[in-house]
Amino acid sequence: MAKSAELGSAFWQRAARRKKWGLLALVVAAGLWGWLAYLLILPYSVDGTQQCAALLFRDAVPSAQCLQTRTWWQMLGLLGAVLPLSVVGAGLYVAGSVSQSLCYHLQEVQYFESRETSVDSS
């Protein structure tokens, strides 16, 4: 029985660790998503003199000076980093949560089975 308890405890700890790493990855990904939204949605200025419209809300072709300050490849690189991080974070968090739920369920089943055997023996 002691070996079973040790294995259950180790399983629970691995699940909790996986869930914490997933949550950390999701927090970092949320920060990167916020940064990407900031770069795409808010207007910006070039050298404090020329005001440039936000990249997503431009009506006309921007001047060359506005395009040089915020290039699309930098934001695509940021998107390429944040997408896998979001997926990995969500996967780790879900896997950890499911593992913890499964461990809790197995503990309940073991408890009720031990209770049944003690009632049957008396």
Side-chain angles (χ1 to χ4, degrees):
M1 188 67 168
K3 184 72 170 171
S4 174
E6 290 174 14
L7 289 175
S9 175
F11 184 78
W12 182 269
Q13 289 173 353
R14 280 193 311 270
R17 192 176 325 119
R18 191 177 299 136
K19 190 175 177 181
K20 286 177 188 175
W21 277 108
L23 187 61
L24 177 67
L26 286 173
V27 167
V28 170
L32 291 175
W33 278 113
W35 185 21
L36 183 64
Y38 170 78
L39 291 174
L40 290 173
I41 294 173
L42 295 177
Y44 60 100
S45 64
V46 179
D47 298 329
T49 58
Q50 181 181 1
Q51 188 72 11
C52 298
L55 293 174
L56 287 180
F57 304 120
R58 288 190 179 148
D59 292 333
V61 177
S63 67
Q65 190 176 15
C66 286
L67 281 179
Q68 290 174 353
T69 57
R70 286 195 180 167
T71 56
W72 280 99
W73 63 269
Q74 291 171 338
M75 285 174 274
L76 285 176
L78 182 59
L79 182 64
V82 75
L83 275 176
L85 187 62
S86 299
V87 170
V88 166
L92 284 173
Y93 187 81
V94 167
S97 296
V98 168
S99 296
Q100 282 183 334
S101 296
L102 179 63
C103 188
Y104 181 70
H105 174 72
L106 289 175
Q107 287 174 350
E108 284 185 337
V109 168
Q110 289 173 350
Y111 170 74
F112 286 117
E113 284 179 352
S114 68
R115 214 170 132 198
E116 259 182 30
T117 57
S118 66
V119 169
D120 290 342
S121 63
S122 54

